[in-house]
Amino acid sequence: MSAPLPVAREVVRDAGAGDARIALTYDARLLRRKRLTAAEGLEFLADFERAESLRHGDGFSLDDGRVVVVEAAPEAVLEITGDLTRLAWHIGNRHTPCEISDTALYIAEDPVLHAMLEQLGAHVHRVTRAFSPEGGAYGHGRTFGHSHDHSHD
């Protein structure tokens, strides 16, 4: 009979070095319950009360005291250059996750957005890189609707 898997029920923000590492794409970094395997072969279960959005550098805090640090895995994205302010507005208007640098914008591959951005004068290239879009305006990580700690009265 094999030993039970270590379980992660908490996320450590900015976890540091940790005991093991796991590379996950942007989509895979949003999870609630999943069996995972770190690069070093350590198998564990992520079992959170609600869905968690993990960033590069966050960690899974295992019930045996170890921490597995999350790395943003390379994935296919669109690199967008041109009038970044104008292009960012159009991307944001479509509620598309976007990573912003001084020289380019990055979004997940999307043929419709690719065509729209080129029509707006952008230079769009398919690249493979780690993808870490900006978090939501009302809290850490991704936003799951418009919930925050104030009223609109």
Side-chain angles (χ1 to χ4, degrees), residues 5-119:
L5 292 178
V7 178
R9 290 192 174 87
E10 294 182 13
V11 173
V12 178
R13 301 296 175 196
D14 301 316
D19 301 289
R21 304 191 88 62
I22 187 167
L24 300 170
T25 64
Y26 175 67
D27 285 341
R29 292 193 313 266
L30 177 64
L31 55 95
R32 194 194 80 68
R33 188 169 205 276
K34 188 169 186 173
R35 184 180 182 141
L36 298 164
T37 305
E40 295 79 3
L42 170 63
E43 291 187 47
F44 64 99
L45 176 66
D47 187 14
F48 303 120
E49 191 173 308
R50 60 178 167 42
E52 290 283 348
S53 177
L54 295 119
R55 299 177 304 196
H56 179 86
D58 287 345
F60 293 96
S61 177
L62 304 183
D63 58 4
D64 65 6
R66 291 180 286 181
V67 174
V68 179
V69 178
V70 174
E71 296 178 343
E75 59 187 292
V77 295
L78 298 178
E79 179 182 66
I80 302 147
T81 57
D83 182 351
L84 297 185
T85 303
R86 182 169 168 259
L87 297 169
W89 185 90
H90 284 282
I91 291 167
N93 192 43
R94 282 144 187 91
H95 303 280
T96 300
C98 181
E99 182 177 345
I100 302 167
S101 80
D102 290 340
T103 58
L105 305 173
Y106 299 91
I107 63 172
E109 283 193 291
D110 182 310
V112 173
L113 289 177
H114 187 148
M116 177 203 73
L117 291 163
E118 284 184 332
Q119 188 175 10

Side-chain angles (χ1 to χ4, degrees), residues 125-138:
H125 303 281
R126 184 177 188 260
V127 299
T128 301
R129 66 187 302 277
F131 182 47
S132 295
E134 293 292 316
Y138 298 109

